[in-house]
Amino acid sequence: MKRIVVLIALSFLICTGAAQAKDWTKIRVAIEGAYPPFSQVSPDGTLIGFDVDIAVALCEAIGAEPVLVAQDWDGMIPGLLARKYDTIIASMSITEERLQKVDFTKKYYQTPAKFMVKKGIIPQFSMEALKGKVIGVQRETIHDKYLTDIYGKTVEIKRYGSLDEAYLDVEAGRIDIVMADSVALMEGFLSKDKGADYEFVGPDMVDPKFFGPGIGAAVRKQDGELKQKLNEAIDTIRANGTYEKIQNKYFNFNVYGE
């Protein structure tokens, strides 16, 4: 009798597991929508940008329907863990701290961080030149952590929900510097008319301790099959020219890195 009960229980667990297994024909993707050119919301309310096109291409390579979910940056990982979506494709760097909560695919791009200032404010970059300056950064990002750990005792840090908010304050003179991904700063501000009087200062910031090996798609730790499918899809779009086509739509240089 005990053996029969055990066999019935095992059969139930196997059937339950099979019922819960995902076929990944539909993948819900979290995207910020406030980080041009990687993601932004068009006038008609559609999510557009490099991250969006990459997400769609990866889903197509898998054979899955992409379902895009707009999500504020602060709630990205909590939303993933709460199963609001299946993956985050939102310019999220792979770091040891984040790996404690979620898993990541291999990188799908990698660009350095930079400081952006009004021309003439810092004629020669140094730690001394930054002393007393107010630096804006998007909160809860790798840039926030880097700035806090490396320059926190030298500068005043002002944190924002999005880079657009930081841009408004640097234009208004309420902050002196903005720190962010170099491509985001170039495409979101420096390349526009309002950016004509601003420039990059200082070195490329690429310390792996803070910035990790690049930008990846985040998944829940238990979703190893999805991670594998996304990794294979990254290889596919890199090999068949899709990645290059998307890259060239937004940039005139290699964003994948070495």
Side-chain angles (χ1 to χ4, degrees):
M1 180 62 71
K2 288 182 179 179
R3 184 180 178 186
I4 292 172
V5 171
V6 170
L7 288 173
I8 291 172
L10 286 173
S11 297
F12 175 78
L13 289 173
I14 291 170
C15 291
T16 302
Q20 291 179 343
K22 293 188 68 84
D23 54 12
W24 300 116
T25 56
K26 182 181 291 187
I27 299 174
R28 299 168 299 160
V29 184
I31 294 177
E32 184 182 11
Y35 195 59
F38 298 101
S39 70
Q40 58 189 329
V41 180
S42 68
D44 66 0
T46 304
L47 284 166
I48 58 173
F50 178 80
D51 282 335
V52 177
D53 290 358
I54 289 292
V56 171
L58 292 178
C59 289
E60 289 178 350
I62 291 170
E65 176 191 349
V67 178
L68 305 181
V69 180
Q71 171 65 58
D72 289 344
W73 181 259
D74 293 356
M76 279 287 175
I77 289 179
L80 179 65
L81 297 178
R83 297 185 173 277
K84 289 175 61 177
Y85 30 81
D86 305 304
T87 183
I88 299 169
I89 301 180
S91 293
M92 183 171 282
S93 295
I94 305 163
T95 65
E96 289 300 323
E97 182 178 354
R98 288 171 180 155
L99 282 168
Q100 294 176 17
K101 299 177 181 178
V102 299
D103 207 351
F104 281 91
T105 63
K106 62 181 65 178
K107 74 172 184 179
Y108 67 90
Y109 84 85
Q110 184 174 25
T111 51
K114 296 285 286 185
F115 287 125
M116 181 193 77
V117 302
K118 194 164 188 177
K119 292 176 180 177
I121 287 182
I122 301 180
Q124 187 169 354
F125 183 85
S126 67
M127 186 72 82
E128 185 65 25
L130 290 181
K131 189 171 291 184
K133 295 292 189 292
V134 183
I135 303 182
V137 67
Q138 188 173 10
R139 63 174 171 263
E140 299 299 325
T141 60
I142 54 172
H143 308 106
D144 183 358
K145 182 168 178 54
Y146 178 84
L147 189 62
T148 301
D149 286 8
I150 303 301
Y151 296 98
K153 295 181 179 179
T154 303
V155 304
E156 179 183 343
I157 301 171
K158 189 168 182 181
R159 297 172 176 85
Y160 297 89
S162 71
L163 281 181
D164 286 340
E165 296 172 12
Y167 296 154
L168 289 173
D169 270 8
V170 79
E171 282 187 274
R174 288 186 284 269
I175 60 176
D176 304 301
I177 304 170
V178 178
M179 180 193 172
D181 178 86
S182 55
V183 176
L185 289 171
M186 176 58 71
E187 299 296 323
F189 191 86
L190 286 171
S191 64
K192 302 182 182 301
D193 290 343
K194 61 185 178 182
D197 294 331
Y198 295 80
E199 63 184 353
F200 286 136
V201 295
D204 288 350
M205 291 172 271
V206 294
D207 186 343
K209 175 183 175 183
F210 294 94
F211 302 105
I215 305 295
V219 298
R220 289 179 290 272
K221 287 184 177 292
Q222 61 267 39
D223 288 335
E225 183 183 5
L226 177 58
K227 175 185 172 180
Q228 181 180 347
K229 286 180 178 293
L230 287 167
N231 276 332
E232 291 170 355
I234 291 171
D235 289 340
T236 296
I237 68 171
R238 291 274 299 157
N240 67 14
T242 301
Y243 184 94
E244 184 177 10
K245 183 178 179 181
I246 294 171
Q247 172 186 269
N248 293 344
K249 177 179 174 182
Y250 296 95
F251 315 110
N252 60 1
F253 55 90
N254 172 29
V255 295
Y256 185 78
E258 298 299 326

